[in-house]
Amino acid sequence: MGRTAEVSERVTGQSGQVRMGHDEWSARTQIEGETYEVGTVVRIVQIEGPIAYVSHA
């Protein structure tokens, strides 16, 4: 948690992907209606199993 990642597939509250280094993670926003587009740098705020929850970096 606290690391930054780059969005590799649009992130919404339901789906998305981020890249941290060479690793790809499934990602979601914590706030419904919030989205992040490909290339956006986001901050990892929580990890639950294989899903990283992200917010503005």
Side-chain angles (χ1 to χ4, degrees), residues 6-25:
E6 184 176 339
V7 175
S8 57
E9 179 183 304
R10 185 174 192 246
V11 177
T12 68
Q14 305 300 317
S15 65
Q17 294 279 319
V18 295
R19 182 175 296 120
M20 288 186 283
H22 296 289
D23 298 326
E24 285 280 332
W25 284 74

Side-chain angles (χ1 to χ4, degrees), residues 1-3 5 11-12 24 29 35-37 40-44 53-54 56:
M1 293 188 328
R3 290 180 58 189
V11 177
T12 68
E24 285 280 332
T29 60
T35 61
Y36 298 103
E37 300 299 329
T40 303
V41 175
V42 293
R43 183 165 309 282
I44 308 300
Y53 289 88
V54 301
H56 290 287

